[in-house]
Each structure stands twice: as structure tokens, then as C-alpha cells.
């Protein structure tokens, strides 16, 4: 009888942890490259979307663009019985805030919130940038179509809202268009502060900045490679936490890095044709994106973007010089590729939004013992927990064991010194929370 019970437990564990969910494949298939092309074209045709550009015209400038974005979110909401709360969030940035703010400007973001049924104050976020620029970051009058940078990311966010609004989730999802990125990440900074003021529990943000180019300046052409940028540890960590890392590890295991690993694992499972590249860096070398203000506020955040950039098509005046056509125009955007990266976002938004919260506390023990020991705080909605481990030099979680609905476990024969470990919560449908790296020890 004991052997039968053990076999039943092992079988149910395998089924729970190895299953896929048809809804995720349905989400992938529902993303439309044609709709994304229409949206990128519309955004590029506003002429310029520079943060300091015209706000009165109905056809040109950032004002017309953000009103159109808001109207698209409202159309999506109307099709799902008002399931989205759509609104503007605004901050006044004064002239001289930096050398790119040459006049007072109201930085206006567009938010569409799909409230969760069980955890309405827990938010997973997808963002794209509304604004564009040419060579001179203070030139707010010349044509700046910004087709790839970043109409592609904004169009992907609009499309993800259309697809995911047909489902209900336990956690909340926010789809947002951010302004002021090219002037100093002002839109993301405003929303990050807004989230803190409102007491939001931010699970993470997927910042999509350039998801449409497949032909790189390096000569590589690929419609399957993409990069996931994530910083190693939060900038808000305490001195005590920094000192502890010297003895217990965790220098590449911060909350943003775990969010990146989550996306990597999910894509490998559901979209094996894609090649997610984990980049161990906050952003491109010396550059920045709109996930950074969220990281600065202590929230997990990553950047999802194309792998092979073409710098002749970024932040450039439209011109031909030495036989090279410069400018971020429509013909350089691959809409099928943008649809793939939109699907990458959508399936991870859905997976996290359907998952239970992650354990708040994970403690590890087993010092000078032939076993690794774990204790964690149980969470509402979890049907069980999974222990992950990997070689200390591995970028991804390579081994795992589902251990059921318990709050402690011992991995016999696994020496704590040789691996890094983490724990995730698993929901009734098999969706998991991001992995939590141990934040305490016991003996």
C-alpha cells in the first residue's frame, strides 16, 4: 500500500510540473502581425512623437499619439465588457530638469489596468514607449517616425491587451504606454513613484523597447533571437544584504534576474523555436530603458528586445549619407517578428497572472551536512511548491523537484556548497510564481 501511495504521489507530481496549458498556445496563436503592422503604421504617421512635440493637433505630435493609444485601449475594453480601466497619468517636468528638457513639459503616460479577481493589488506590467526622436534629442519638430523605436513596443503592448483581455486572471495586468523615455526615463519614473504612492505590489515589469528589427548592423539576420536584459541585484539592497552575499552567494540572483529566468524557461517550454538570450546587464552598454526606474524603486524589471540592432535606424535624422539610408522608418520593421516577441510577453504575463504569489520567505540550511534543507512561508492559492537548483556557474535553473503542499523539505545527497537554490509556488493549473532565492538561513 505504501508503494502504491508513493507511486501515486510521484505520478501526480510529474503531471503537475510537466504539463502545458492549451490556453498558452491559444494566446500565441491569437497575436496578429497584421494588427501590429497597422498600429506601427498609425504611430509612425503621427510624424513625430517627441515628448516636447505638439499636443494640440489631431494628426501630428505626441498629444495626438497618446490620445489614439488611449482610444485603442478603450476599444479593447469595450470588447471585454469594460474589463480595462484606462486613464492618463501625468507629471509636470520643469525646463532644465536635464539638458534635454528645454521647456516645461507634461509627461503623460497611458495605462490600461485589467484587475485580477483574487489579488487585485498585485500587478504584472507590460510597457512600450510612446515617444520618438531624431539625432538631436532636443529637436521636437522634425519628422521622427520611430517605427521600431518604439512604435513596435507600443504596438505590441496594445496587441497583448487585445489578446489577454479575453481571459480572466487572479492577478492584475497593466498595459502601459510611457512617455519621456528619450528625455531621461521620466515616464517610467513617474509610474514607479505612482505605484509606490498607491501601495501597489509590483510582481514585475516587461519593458519592450525595439522588438521589430531582425537585420543587425553586425550583419546577422535572425527572426528568432531576442535578448532579455536584467540587473543582478536590486540597487535598493541594504548593506547587510550586500555583506551576506559574500558568504551565502546571490550576486546574480536578484529579483529582476529571477524574472528574466522565468521568461527564459517559459519561452523554452512553449515557444521552442525562439532563442531567448539572457544578458547579464541592466541594459545595453552605458544605455538605459524604462525598466530602470522600476528597478530604482525596488521593483523587478527586465527589458525584452531584438538581439541584432541596427544603429543607422536609431535616433537618426532621415537622410541618405554615403549610400546609407538613415532613419527609423516603417520598411525596417519585421511585423511577424514583432508579433513573436509580443507573444513572448503575452504568455509570460498570463502565466504570472494565473500563478499564486511567490513565498515571501525562503530559508536554507545544511551547512557541513550531506543534504540541503529548506523552509519557506506558505502562500494562499498554492497547491504545492517546487525546489530549483543549478550549478553556481549556470545562468538558468537546470534542476527541480516538486515537493507538494509542504513548508519544508530536505534534498538528501545534494551538498549546499555546490549549487544555488530557490523555491517557487505552484498553482492548481501548474502555473508557477517566479523563483525566490533564499533570503534567510537556519541550522
Amino acid at each position: 500500500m505504501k508503494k502504491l501511495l508513493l507511486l501515486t504521489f510521484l505520478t501526480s507530481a510529474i503531471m503537475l510540473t510537466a504539463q502545458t496549458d492549451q490556453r498558452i498556445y491559444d494566446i500565441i496563436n491569437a497575436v496578429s502581425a497584421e494588427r501590429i503592422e497597422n498600429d506601427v503604421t498609425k504611430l509612425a504617421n503621427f510624424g513625430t512623437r517627441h515628448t516636447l512635440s505638439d499636443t494640440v493637433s489631431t494628426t501630428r505630435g505626441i498629444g495626438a499619439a497618446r490620445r489614439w493609444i488611449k482610444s485603442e485601449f478603450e476599444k479593447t475594453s469595450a470588447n471585454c465588457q469594460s474589463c480595462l480601466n484606462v486613464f492618463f497619468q501625468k507629471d509636470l517636468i520643469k525646463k532644465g530638469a536635464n539638458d534635454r528638457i528645454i521647456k516645461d513639459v507634461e509627461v503623460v503616460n497611458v495605462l490600461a489596468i485589467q484587475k485580477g479577481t483574487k489579488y487585485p493589488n498585485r500587478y504584472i506590467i507590460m510597457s512600450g514607449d510612446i515617444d520618438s526622436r531624431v539625432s538631436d534629442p532636443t529637436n521636437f519638430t522634425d519628422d521622427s517616425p520611430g517605427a521600431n523605436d518604439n512604435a513596435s513596443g507600443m504596438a505590441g503592448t496594445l496587441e497583448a491587451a487585445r489578446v489577454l483581455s479575453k481571459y480572466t486572471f487572479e492577478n492584475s495586468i497593466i498595459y502601459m504606454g510611457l512617455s519621456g523615455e528619450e528625455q531621461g526615463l521620466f515616464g517610467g519614473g513617474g509610474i514607479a513613484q505612482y505605484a509606490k504612492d498607491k501601495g501597489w505590489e509590483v510582481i514585475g515589469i516587461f519593458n519592450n523597447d525595439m522588438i521589430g528589427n531582425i537585420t543587425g548592423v553586425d550583419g546577422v539576420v535572425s527572426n528568432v533571437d531576442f535578448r532579455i536584459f536584467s540587473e543582478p541585484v536590486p540597487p535598493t539592497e541594504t548593506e547587510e544584504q550586500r555583506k551576506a552575499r559574500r558568504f551565502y552567494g546571490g550576486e546574480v540572483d536578484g529579483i529582476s534576474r529571477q524574472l528574466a529566468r522565468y521568461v527564459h524557461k517559459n519561452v523554452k517550454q512553449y515557444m521552442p523555436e525562439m532563442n531567448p538570450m539572457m544578458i547579464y546587464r541592466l541594459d545595453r552598454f552605458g544605455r538605459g530603458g524604462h525598466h530602470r526606474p522600476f528597478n530604482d524603486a525596488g521593483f523587478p524589471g527586465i527589458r525584452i528586445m531584438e538581439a541584432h540592432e541596427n544603429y543607422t535606424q536609431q535616433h537618426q535624422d532621415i537622410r541618405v549619407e554615403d549610400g546609407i539610408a538613415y532613419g527609423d522608418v516603417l520598411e525596417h520593421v519585421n511585423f511577424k517578428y514583432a508579433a513573436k516577441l509580443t507573444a513572448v510577453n503575452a504568455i509570460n504575463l498570463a502565466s504570472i497572472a494565473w500563478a499564486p504569489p511567490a513565498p515571501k520567505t525562503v530559508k536554507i540550511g545544511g551547512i557541513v551536512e550531506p543534504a540541503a534543507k529548506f523552509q519557506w512561508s506558505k502562500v494562499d492559492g498554492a497547491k504545492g511548491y517546487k525546489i530549483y537548483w543549478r550549478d553556481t556557474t549556470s545562468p538558468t535553473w537546470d534542476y527541480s523537484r516538486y515537493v507538494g503542499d509542504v513548508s519544508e523539505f530536505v534534498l538528501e545527497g545534494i551538498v549546499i556548497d555546490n549549487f544555488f537554490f530557490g523555491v517557487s509556488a505552484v498553482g492548481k493549473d501548474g502555473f508557477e510564481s517566479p523563483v525566490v532565492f533564499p533570503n534567510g538561513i537556519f541550522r
Side-chain angles (χ1 to χ4, degrees):
M1 184 64 180
K2 288 183 179 179
K3 288 184 178 180
L4 179 60
L5 288 173
L6 178 60
L7 180 62
T8 301
F9 171 78
L10 289 175
T11 302
S12 62
I14 292 170
M15 288 177 63
L16 180 60
T17 58
Q19 68 180 347
T20 57
D21 192 301
Q22 181 58 42
R23 291 174 294 179
I24 297 296
Y25 294 112
D26 293 340
I27 288 168
I28 295 169
N29 293 331
V31 174
S32 167
E34 181 179 358
R35 287 194 296 262
I36 289 173
E37 180 176 3
N38 292 338
D39 291 346
V40 172
T41 302
K42 180 70 175 183
L43 287 163
N45 285 342
F46 285 112
T48 178
R49 303 187 307 279
H50 192 287
T51 296
L52 278 65
S53 62
D54 192 307
T55 61
V56 177
S57 170
T58 60
T59 59
R60 183 177 178 85
I62 195 167
R66 67 196 182 211
R67 289 189 293 272
W68 176 79
I69 291 167
K70 183 171 182 283
S71 72
E72 287 300 301
F73 280 137
E74 288 169 341
K75 288 178 185 176
T76 298
S77 184
N79 289 331
C80 62
Q81 291 74 52
S82 301
C83 72
L84 302 180
N85 177 24
V86 183
F87 61 96
F88 289 133
Q89 184 274 331
K90 309 175 183 180
D91 288 293
L92 179 65
I93 308 299
K94 302 291 288 184
K95 176 182 177 181
N98 63 30
D99 58 6
R100 296 186 179 187
I101 302 295
I102 58 175
K103 64 176 181 176
D104 292 355
V105 62
E106 196 170 48
V107 171
V108 181
N109 302 310
V110 189
L111 281 73
I113 301 179
Q114 185 174 353
K115 278 289 189 178
T117 58
K118 188 172 183 179
Y119 310 107
N121 200 48
R122 301 185 74 246
Y123 299 89
I124 181 69
I125 303 169
M126 179 181 179
S127 73
D129 298 322
I130 302 172
D131 57 312
S132 64
R133 57 162 283 198
V134 289
S135 301
D136 179 357
T138 64
N139 180 348
F140 57 86
T141 56
D142 286 356
D143 280 352
S144 176
N148 189 42
D149 184 15
N150 186 26
S152 64
M154 188 66 250
T157 304
L158 288 167
E159 179 65 4
R162 295 186 188 107
V163 172
L164 296 183
S165 61
K166 300 183 185 303
Y167 300 85
T168 58
F169 301 96
E170 292 190 344
N171 297 279
S172 296
I173 301 176
I174 306 180
Y175 317 93
M176 63 173 62
L178 300 175
S179 300
E181 191 264 347
E182 302 289 5
Q183 272 53 56
L185 309 179
F186 286 105
I191 289 292
Q193 186 58 53
Y194 183 87
K196 293 188 76 171
D197 292 343
K198 294 290 185 181
W200 288 357
E201 184 179 348
V202 177
I203 307 168
I205 179 170
F206 302 149
N207 168 38
N208 285 258
D209 196 343
M210 294 187 290
I211 62 170
N213 182 65
I214 66 171
T215 304
V217 72
D218 55 3
V220 177
V221 180
S222 173
N223 65 354
V224 296
D225 299 339
F226 71 96
R227 293 177 290 182
I228 309 170
F229 287 92
S230 62
E231 66 176 354
V233 293
T236 54
E237 73 170 357
T238 64
E239 182 64 15
E240 182 181 6
Q241 290 170 326
R242 188 192 69 79
K243 288 179 178 178
R245 282 196 284 108
R246 293 190 66 198
F247 300 97
Y248 307 126
E251 60 273 9
V252 293
D253 278 281
I255 51 179
S256 294
R257 187 61 49 78
Q258 303 306 345
L259 190 63
R261 291 191 177 107
Y262 189 100
V263 172
H264 185 280
K265 174 178 176 289
N266 221 24
V267 170
K268 285 293 189 181
Q269 181 175 20
Y270 284 102
M271 300 178 69
E273 71 279 10
M274 299 300 288
N275 178 36
M277 301 162 58
M278 292 272 290
I279 308 297
Y280 273 25
R281 181 177 281 147
L282 171 64
D283 210 309
R284 285 87 43 80
F285 193 85
R287 303 173 73 181
H290 250 146
H291 56 302
R292 193 177 82 195
F294 291 86
N295 293 163
D296 291 342
F299 299 132
I302 61 177
R303 178 177 184 149
I304 296 173
M305 69 173 299
E306 63 204 29
H308 306 289
E309 296 181 67
N310 196 317
Y311 308 122
T312 65
Q313 299 158 19
Q314 298 174 16
H315 305 170
Q316 296 285 348
D317 294 336
I318 300 173
R319 68 194 191 280
V320 177
E321 189 175 298
D322 297 328
I324 299 173
Y326 289 84
D328 188 358
V329 293
L330 278 169
E331 50 262 39
H332 299 311
V333 180
N334 186 293
F335 302 107
K336 290 183 178 179
Y337 176 72
K340 290 179 182 180
L341 294 197
T342 297
V344 165
N345 282 266
I347 66 172
N348 283 285
L349 291 169
S351 296
I352 290 177
W354 273 320
K360 293 287 187 184
T361 301
V362 174
K363 295 182 179 181
I364 189 168
I367 299 173
V368 298
E369 295 184 46
K373 302 177 179 180
F374 305 91
Q375 298 174 352
W376 57 85
S377 55
K378 299 183 76 172
V379 297
D380 179 45
K383 296 300 182 183
Y385 300 85
K386 188 186 285 189
I387 298 173
Y388 283 90
W389 67 100
R390 69 180 200 274
D391 294 337
T392 60
T393 55
S394 176
T396 55
W397 295 113
D398 300 318
Y399 314 105
S400 65
R401 179 169 176 177
Y402 179 72
V403 297
D405 188 16
V406 296
S407 60
E408 57 183 57
F409 198 82
V410 177
L411 284 177
E412 297 286 354
I414 304 294
V415 177
I416 191 175
D417 300 326
N418 296 339
F419 302 94
F420 286 140
F421 302 87
V423 176
S424 71
V426 184
K428 59 182 175 60
D429 293 330
F431 291 107
E432 298 181 35
S433 73
V435 172
V436 178
F437 192 78
N439 48 30
I441 61 172
F442 68 96
R443 295 182 183 271

